[in-house]
Amino acid sequence: MATLITADTAPRFGQDGFSMVGLAAPSRGCATVSTWRITAQPGAQSPTHRLTSDEVFVLLAGELTATVDGAEMTVRAGDSLSVPPGVDFSLANRGAAPFEAVACMAAGGMALVGDGAPFPPPWAV
């Protein structure tokens, strides 16, 4: 059975200057993929973290600076970035305008920050 998540009913989350809108996820009818929309205002920066599965970002507007395994790169609207599991990375908006992206990973993927215990990102469950 198909599941429709409308813009009005999608759950919203915020963390470290980022806003996430939960789209596809196991709790929203999708067993194998989690997808969310990310918006970050200028100056927002995520902590360095890693995941237990691949994560893909497709930039819709603006640009972000991604630091992946120590290498810095700029991702612009229309670009995609794939981060493999187990690799430290962070995202930052160093531009003058917000950036927007759609991100996805395998359902059940976990995040790790520092030496902390793995946890499921709340927008992905």
Side-chain angles (χ1 to χ4, degrees):
M1 171 186 264
T3 301
L4 171 66
I5 305 298
T6 66
D8 293 336
T9 63
R12 285 160 168 62
F13 306 87
Q15 186 172 329
D16 301 309
F18 291 77
S19 299
M20 279 72 67
V21 177
L23 301 171
S27 66
R28 294 182 287 284
C30 188
T32 61
V33 177
S34 294
T35 306
W36 55 97
R37 187 176 187 124
I38 302 170
T39 304
Q41 297 300 318
Q45 178 151 352
S46 75
T48 299
H49 60 291
R50 60 196 170 283
L51 299 169
T52 60
S53 69
D54 294 292
E55 185 171 16
V56 176
F57 300 89
V58 178
L59 223 56
L60 304 173
E63 68 179 44
L64 70 85
T65 300
T67 303
V68 181
D69 203 19
E72 193 172 285
M73 58 192 78
T74 301
V75 186
R76 294 181 176 83
D79 296 346
S80 70
L81 171 66
S82 299
V83 180
V87 173
D88 285 338
F89 74 100
S90 64
L91 306 175
N93 184 351
R94 296 184 185 155
F99 80 68
E100 293 183 53
V102 171
C104 63
M105 71 176 182
M110 304 284 268
L112 298 95
V113 177
D115 293 329
F119 63 93
W123 45 88
V125 295

